[in-house]
Amino acid sequence: MQLKTYHRSEHPIDHSNVDQHALSTVMTLQQAGHTAYLVGGSVRDLLLGLHPKDFDISTSAKPEEIKKIFHRQCLLIGRRFRLAHIRFGTKIFEVSTFRAGDPTSSSLIVHDNRWGSEEEDVMRRDFTINALFYDPSKELILDYVNGVEDIKKGLLKTIGDPETRFRQDPVRMIRLLKFQARFGFRCDDNALVAMKRCRHDILKSAQARILEEILKMLESTKAAPFFRLLTDFGFVELLFPCFHHFFADPTNDIASRYLQAVDEMTSRLNHPKLDRASLLAAIVFPILEEELFLLSQDRQSSTSMKEIIHLAETLLHGISTSSFVHFPKRLLANVFLIIVNQFRMTPLQGPPRLHARFHSQEDFLLSLDLLRLRALVNPRLGPICDSWEAKRP
Ligand code: ATP
Ligand code: MG
């Protein structure tokens, strides 16, 4: 592919939208005689007029050379994917050395530490929209893959043959759906066909990477469309069999209503970030409610707290043993407390009480977040939720 360059007058990226420390990191590398660019998600987001979450940097400098330039500001990390972290106070920038991949090999990538040219570094990236370099000192965009045009068209395309690229690293399929949900982009037809053929390969990927992408999407304000796509492409069935019937049921949209509530809450600008346990609880709670409903249908007597606890334990045990990802114990323990506490805050029978006991303040606050979400789904819970909210320390 031919290199296209876009000068300042031909692209909308304004220096003032680039993090000053990211700029200085690139400049320092360039002044030391290396090639260095901003790359990946940040360039894509700047072109889309969005605020990048992070600024990744790509350079010709090898990790040890980066270390020599930044000394104690630099920490070299990673085995599978070796890179440098440059620290400015609490802020960290990832600097990775240009790598060469083999874009034609279908074997699973285990290590990715073969250094290469800047062009090779582009070719080992996942999608054309993610493979642009930005040189801040010349204010130039370097585009080897027609990524600028694809961003303008709103088109998601893999670099190289999609089936080969998905077999090499199946997490790319999840990333494709993530970008589709996040930007509303259209997916290239060849990639759609390849994804259907390769979907079972997802079970060969590193579970920790999948868990991270999923949890990040729950926080992204686009959780509802993302889970819709995950379900439609058969990934929920493979990764989370316990959730599948719930997400795939055309007669019941409660799961997506909860996720829409999550998105509404996370997109409120002044809302503090929701804890991952509350986010996961937003998926598990309606399943528990449905099971309780089925249980109560078969009999006359009311459901006791002891039974609720037992059902919640069984449900979480089922989720943790059947899911492809390994949920950390602490995360599941918090989900358990949050969902069970709902029945203390809003009991199944009798008038609402406002004196339930909690293990800790954190436990109460996490449970309150789920109650807020429930009130978005079911506005009748608004008043009781406000009463509990008034107890917020
Ligand atoms: P986000 O906004 O979610 O961070 P991102 O595109 O920046 O999206 P990162 O995980 O931060 O995603 O990765 C940074 C860059 O590294 C990507 O833009 C892409 O160029 C490259 N990359 C990430 N994951 C892969 C992968 N699985 N295969 C090939 N390239 C990848
Ligand atoms: Mg990123």
Side-chain angles (χ1 to χ4, degrees), residues 40-41 44-45 53-54 56 124-126 130 169 172 175 178-179 182 209 216:
R44 174 199 70 215
D45 289 352
K53 286 197 295 286
D54 44 37
D56 294 332
R124 59 106 191 156
R125 290 179 183 273
D126 49 7
N130 287 344
D169 181 1
R172 289 173 184 150
R175 288 177 55 82
K178 145 171 130 170
F179 296 122
R182 210 198 272 170
R209 289 178 63 207
K216 265 174 38 185

Side-chain angles (χ1 to χ4, degrees), residues 326-369:
H326 172 74
F327 290 107
K329 266 205 180 101
R330 199 181 135 72
L331 179 65
L332 286 184
N334 280 337
V335 172
F336 172 76
L337 285 174
I338 294 169
I339 58 178
V340 167
N341 281 340
Q342 301 308 306
F343 299 92
R344 300 195 166 102
M345 297 168 110
T346 57
L348 284 176
Q349 297 92 28
R353 294 185 298 248
L354 288 175
H355 54 262
R357 287 194 181 201
F358 296 92
H359 278 99
S360 63
Q361 191 165 303
E362 186 202 1
D363 178 17
F364 167 63
L365 292 174
L366 295 179
S367 305
L368 192 54
D369 280 340

Side-chain angles (χ1 to χ4, degrees), residues 1-33:
M1 176 73 69
Q2 211 187 338
L3 170 65
K4 282 191 199 151
T5 51
Y6 293 85
H7 295 269
R8 178 64 193 95
S9 59
E10 298 165 311
H11 67 74
I13 298 182
D14 184 342
H15 256 177
S16 61
N17 294 328
V18 179
D19 185 287
Q20 291 307 305
H21 291 125
L23 283 181
S24 90
T25 305
V26 172
M27 304 291 188
T28 306
L29 286 160
Q30 291 182 343
Q31 278 152 17

